[in-house]
Each structure stands twice: as structure tokens, then as C-alpha cells.
Amino acid sequence: MMKVLIVEDNRELAENIRGYLAREACVCEHGYTYGEAQDKIAAYQYDCIILDIMLPDGDGLDLLEFIRTRKAGSSVLIISAKNALDDKVNGLELGADDYLTKPFHLPELHARLKAIYRRKNLDGDHVVSFNEISVNTATLEARVNDALLELTKKEFDLLLYFLINKNRVLTRQSIAEHLWGDYADNLANFDFVYQHVKNLRKKISAANGKDYIGTVYGLGYKFNTHTA
């Protein structure tokens, strides 16, 4: 599951993109202006940013420089009605991962996002694995010792998030934001994260898998490969 920020001032197009990607299990947020997008990028982490070059209050290429200067770690797919070679070259030289000219078909947009995500996080593959645990992002299947796990969508996304971020401390807030996006801001607390983690650990253990998910008290959780 990707967490995506859509930076596009055309609200109808932005909503069409959001609706399509949401049906493809992406968590999407909007930034309709340069200022809104800059605030979100400064405050949150995203797997991919869909970036329109022409914004009402700023240049999308300047926002791309802001993203790279902050070392946000987000992949960037530029979308723009401008088809000039210079714009493409400038965007790619500034660190964009891909460029798509409007108008485009939403399935192509999604396919390019998935390709970017695989290159960056999955070494170009559909499968992420560690020892006896494997996750297939194409079939949405998770296995332990080759036994299929019966996971909810959120549990599957959580396991993938842990595998991609092995040995990194993930706070309860960052997990909530990754799984729920903007909706996490409206939650009184993140107690539900504990329940999802508990359920995931229980299902892995039931399949005779090792419990790599450790609690970092006061902070969150870590998928610890050093316990292997």
C-alpha cells in the first residue's frame, strides 16, 4: 500500500485521481496549492508525491527542490499539461522519478506509481521477504513458512510496512498516518495501532513464525532482524 500526496490545483482531476487510487488500496491526501503541499511535506512522510508543475501560487519545480532539500525520501511523479522537453529534463534532473503528460489514463498513472514504488522499496520485485516471512504485493498474499496468513487489509499493509522498514523504530503516529492518512489527525489516540500489531504478531506466531516485532517503550515498534 502506498501513501500518496496529490499536488494538483484542478480539484476535479485531483478527486478523480484520489478516487481511483483509493480503489487500488492507496492512502491519498491532497495539496491543492504550493503552500498546502509544502506544509504537508514538511509535516508528514509519503511514499510518492504526484506533482503538477503549474500551481496557482508557485512553481512545482521549486517544490521538487524543496522535497529533495529536505531529503523527505518521497518518490515524485510529475504530471503536467506542459509537454516541452526542457520541463521534462529539468524535472528529472531535479530528482523526479518519472514524468507523465496530461491528459493521461488513470490506469497508466497507477502503473507508473507501482513501478516507482517497486524500484525504490522492493528492488524491482513484487515480493518482500525476510527469513520465513514473505509478502507478495501483486497477489496481496502474506506467507510464513509458505503457509498463507489470513490477514485483514490493514494487517497486510502493516506487515509490509514493517518489512520495508526493518530495524527502524516506527512510532505509533507514523504507523497510523501510513495506514489511515489524513484521518489519523482526527483520532484521539493511537491505541488501535497496538491492537493491529498484537493481532499481526499472534497470526505470525500461530504459523510458527518468529516474533521479530519488538515494542520500543514510549515510542512504538521495530521489526528487529538482529533477533533472527
Side-chain angles (χ1 to χ4, degrees):
M1 180 190 68
M2 286 180 283
K3 184 179 178 184
V4 179
L5 175 63
I6 304 166
V7 184
E8 168 61 63
D9 64 307
N10 183 321
R11 291 177 180 260
E12 182 178 359
L13 175 58
E15 183 56 33
N16 286 340
I17 294 173
R18 186 210 65 77
Y20 185 88
L21 294 181
R23 290 193 293 274
E24 297 295 332
C26 296
V27 173
C28 299
E29 299 178 13
H30 290 150
Y32 296 112
T33 67
Y34 184 104
E36 288 179 359
Q38 189 176 56
D39 288 344
K40 284 184 174 290
I41 292 165
Y44 305 109
Q45 290 184 327
Y46 299 94
D47 295 309
C48 192
I49 298 171
I50 299 172
L51 176 63
D52 186 13
I53 288 180
M54 301 183 67
L55 298 170
D57 57 338
D59 188 333
L61 293 180
D62 290 337
L63 191 58
L64 178 55
E65 286 193 88
F66 174 77
I67 295 167
R68 294 310 180 218
T69 299
R70 289 187 59 84
K71 301 185 185 302
S74 304
S75 299
V76 177
L77 171 61
I78 290 177
I79 56 171
S80 178
K82 300 171 72 174
N83 196 25
L85 178 61
D86 286 347
D87 292 321
K88 292 184 178 181
V89 171
N90 289 338
L92 294 172
E93 286 186 343
L94 286 171
D97 297 273
D98 203 352
Y99 191 113
L100 189 58
T101 303
K102 299 177 185 177
F104 50 80
H105 295 290
L106 293 175
E108 180 182 4
L109 173 70
H110 183 228
R112 293 199 183 207
L113 287 177
K114 289 195 297 182
I116 292 171
Y117 187 82
R118 285 197 303 272
R119 288 199 302 270
K120 180 178 179 181
N121 297 301
L122 311 181
D123 295 325
D125 201 352
H126 290 289
V127 179
V128 184
S129 60
F130 177 73
N131 289 351
E132 72 276 20
I133 301 174
S134 66
V135 171
N136 189 315
T137 62
T139 62
L140 299 182
E141 292 179 340
R143 295 178 180 273
V144 171
N145 295 313
D146 208 35
L148 184 65
L149 294 182
E150 295 293 334
L151 301 181
T152 67
K153 184 64 175 66
K154 294 300 184 188
E155 290 166 358
F156 177 91
D157 294 337
L158 179 59
L159 178 56
L160 178 60
Y161 192 45
F162 276 127
L163 287 172
I164 290 174
N165 292 281
K166 293 187 293 290
N167 296 316
R168 292 179 56 190
V169 175
L170 302 177
T171 66
R172 287 183 291 273
Q173 180 174 346
S174 68
I175 292 172
E177 289 172 356
H178 182 80
L179 297 180
W180 279 271
D182 279 340
Y183 296 108
D185 291 338
N186 300 321
L187 300 170
N189 58 61
F190 302 120
D191 290 346
F192 61 91
V193 172
Y194 163 79
Q195 192 61 49
H196 281 291
V197 172
K198 179 182 177 182
N199 291 342
L200 177 60
R201 295 171 73 177
K202 182 178 179 180
K203 291 179 180 181
I204 292 174
S205 296
N208 295 317
K210 192 166 184 177
D211 185 7
Y212 302 102
I213 303 172
T215 300
V216 181
Y217 292 98
L219 292 174
Y221 303 93
K222 180 169 71 170
F223 190 99
N224 191 354
T225 63
H226 303 304
T227 62

